[in-house]
Amino acid sequence: MAKTDLYEAPDYYQIDEFLSEEHKLIRQSVRDWVKKEVSPIIEDYAQKAEFPKQLLKGLAEIGAFGPTIPVEYGGMGLDYMAYGIIMQEIERGDSGIRSTASVQGSLVMYPINAYGSEEQKQKYLPKLASGELMGCFGLTEPDHGSNPSGMVTNIKDKGDHYLLNGAKMWISNSPFADIAIVWAKDEEGKIRGLIVERGMEGFSTPETHNKWSLRASATGELVFDNVKVPKENLLPNVSGLKGPLGCLNQARYGIAWGALGAAMDCYDTALRYSKERIQFGRPIAGFQLQQKKLAEMITEITKGQLLVWRLATLKNENRATPAQISMAKRNSVEIAINIAREARQMLGGMGITGEYPIMRHMMNLESVITYEGTHDIHLLITGMDVTGENAFS
């Protein structure tokens, strides 16, 4: 029997007053969907290590696929505050489900919209927005994670097509994706983006199993063995590492908001449990060490909420820098993972069970703190930004 989702979002500094009525309506519709469609099933799917594909239709309906994409291409035409809010509410439910939406919007639809031809936009974006097509993003390789410029996946110009060879790994959505945005080096060593379609000969997407994290998300590889990619599938308007890094900025922005959602869910769960759990004749909420944990949680959440609100304001004004986005991603995930661990302790043995979401969030966040730039890489991005010195090499 599915447990009722009693989640109430913390807002200690009345940050809601910064939001428009449209933003609040969007948030409520996504929150209602998560409570109705995600919360009742997510623990079972995480236990089974299976992605609930039936959620794809609903994700499209709530505008989670490319919410900032223009309306003429099937998107919602929303601002970045709305995009952040949507990601926060979905990740409050589960990081794996948010990952599915992030990949579709930030890593597949965004590059087609930003770097693609008009024909590519018309062909792919409306179907991606509706969920009729699902996509994935191929950047990370077996031997090149934090150093994507060292990639060995490559294309050779064969006149009427490109010949693509190589492999990508740790690819969310790959097992069921219809298309992949793939980054590969051309014969001059420049990084180019291509749209690779399922069914192209030599293209396969083996699934990754035995994960302890993002268990309700589909992860796999992309393998290219002499894949013939039509010339018209090349993204014409970008070359170099700025292409994939531009996509990562979009995704990192969504994670900055999303990871806070996981933190808020852990805090809300721990707070409610502490008021109901009786030890030594009274609720554990009345004990000093438990109050210390809760006070530190709500303080970090509040600081994080202010950070992402300001980041959204800057992004709407096209003033947010990659380094500012990086800081917010790192901060949100770090506080979320710490809050998950503290909340788990407050619940004692119950905290490790599927009766509560905390342990699932904690395991998921071990992936979120690694993907789209590891915690340490993001520290170095901030370090380089404030010192002007490059510590990467």
Side-chain angles (χ1 to χ4, degrees):
M1 177 107 181
K3 294 187 70 169
T4 304
D5 184 345
L6 301 173
Y7 174 71
E8 293 180 22
D11 183 17
Y12 201 73
Y13 263 40
Q14 285 85 54
I15 298 168
D16 266 15
E17 294 177 8
F18 294 154
L19 303 180
S20 70
E21 289 306 310
E22 182 188 24
H23 291 142
K24 293 174 189 174
L25 282 169
I26 290 167
R27 183 180 63 189
Q28 193 60 52
S29 69
V30 179
R31 186 173 297 170
D32 290 345
W33 180 80
V34 169
K35 285 190 172 189
K36 181 183 177 187
E37 303 293 341
V38 179
S39 300
I41 66 166
I42 196 64
E43 298 295 345
D44 285 343
Y45 276 87
Q47 293 280 1
K48 294 187 293 185
E50 183 181 334
F51 175 68
K53 286 189 74 172
Q54 70 271 27
L55 295 180
L56 294 176
K57 184 173 184 289
L59 283 167
E61 289 171 351
I62 62 171
F65 294 156
T68 62
I69 296 294
V71 174
E72 58 263 37
Y73 298 122
M76 301 281 284
L78 299 174
D79 70 358
Y80 280 98
M81 194 77 72
Y83 170 51
I85 288 167
I86 291 169
M87 294 302 108
Q88 185 170 92
E89 292 299 320
I90 296 173
E91 188 147 4
R92 201 281 301 178
D94 187 75
S95 300
I97 307 304
R98 196 268 310 141
S99 296
T100 298
S102 281
V103 169
Q104 184 85 340
S106 297
L107 301 181
V108 179
M109 297 175 71
Y110 173 81
I112 293 173
N113 186 58
Y115 311 139
S117 66
E118 183 61 30
E119 292 75 20
Q120 289 168 342
K121 295 179 192 180
Q122 298 281 0
K123 179 178 179 180
Y124 295 108
L125 289 177
K127 290 181 179 179
L128 289 163
S130 69
E132 182 182 342
L133 288 179
M134 293 300 298
C136 64
F137 175 87
L139 178 63
T140 300
E141 297 187 356
D143 295 322
H144 300 93
S146 294
N147 177 28
S149 62
M151 70 173 67
V152 295
T153 298
N154 64 88
I155 54 170
K156 289 185 169 56
D157 191 331
K158 294 296 182 180
D160 62 344
H161 66 272
Y162 294 105
L163 200 62
L164 172 64
N165 281 285
K168 306 289 184 177
M169 73 182 304
W170 306 120
I171 310 300
S172 293
N173 299 2
S174 90
F176 59 78
D178 301 292
I179 67 169
I181 302 296
V182 178
W183 301 94
K185 285 183 178 174
D186 64 16
E187 287 156 297
E188 297 176 358
K190 287 183 179 176
I191 294 172
R192 304 303 304 265
L194 304 99
I195 303 170
V196 181
E197 300 181 13
R198 184 175 294 281
M200 289 183 176
E201 190 175 347
F203 174 38
S204 59
T205 59
E207 187 163 2
T208 303
H209 298 287
N210 299 322
K211 298 181 299 176
W212 287 116
S213 183
L214 296 182
R215 288 172 62 82
S217 174
T219 310
E221 303 172 45
L222 303 175
V223 180
F224 314 106
D225 181 10
N226 289 322
V227 181
K228 293 181 179 179
V229 182
K231 284 283 183 76
E232 61 265 26
N233 283 34
L234 184 82
L235 296 174
N237 298 322
V238 74
S239 68
L241 203 54
K242 66 183 180 183
L245 291 185
C247 304
L248 293 181
N249 278 332
Q250 299 294 112
R252 289 166 177 173
Y253 172 81
I255 294 168
W257 279 84
L260 272 185
M264 290 157 69
D265 196 45
C266 291
Y267 166 78
D268 180 66
T269 302
L271 176 63
R272 186 176 299 105
Y273 184 87
S274 73
K275 294 176 179 178
E276 297 169 353
R277 175 67 171 169
I278 307 298
Q279 289 290 287
F280 304 102
R282 60 178 173 144
I284 63 171
F287 292 101
Q288 289 181 359
L289 286 175
Q290 307 308 313
Q291 289 192 5
K292 175 181 182 291
K293 287 183 173 68
L294 291 166
E296 289 172 344
M297 288 181 203
I298 190 59
T299 302
E300 292 304 320
I301 286 169
T302 302
K303 290 190 288 187
Q305 288 171 326
L306 289 165
L307 195 69
V308 297
W309 172 80
R310 178 59 182 159
L311 183 63
T313 304
L314 290 170
K315 196 136 172 57
N316 280 340
E317 297 169 357
N318 200 29
R319 293 197 293 141
T321 67
Q324 288 170 331
I325 295 168
S326 165
M327 175 187 281
K329 188 271 186 185
R330 170 175 55 83
N331 180 73
S332 291
V333 183
E334 181 179 30
I335 69 166
I337 208 163
N338 290 336
I339 287 169
R341 287 168 179 158
E342 290 290 283
R344 207 292 305 156
Q345 287 194 51
M346 289 184 66
L347 267 67
M350 291 305 294
I352 70 164
T353 72
E355 291 293 307
Y356 296 92
I358 294 171
M359 193 72 182
R360 175 172 48 81
H361 282 310
M362 193 194 306
M363 293 193 298
N364 284 341
L365 288 164
E366 290 291 347
S367 290
V368 183
I369 206 168
T370 299
Y371 71 21
E372 315 289 350
T374 67
H375 181 80
D376 290 349
I377 289 293
H378 285 295
L379 282 168
L380 296 182
I381 291 171
T382 304
M384 183 167 70
D385 198 44
V386 298
T387 67
E389 297 288 341
N390 184 350
F392 289 97
S393 58

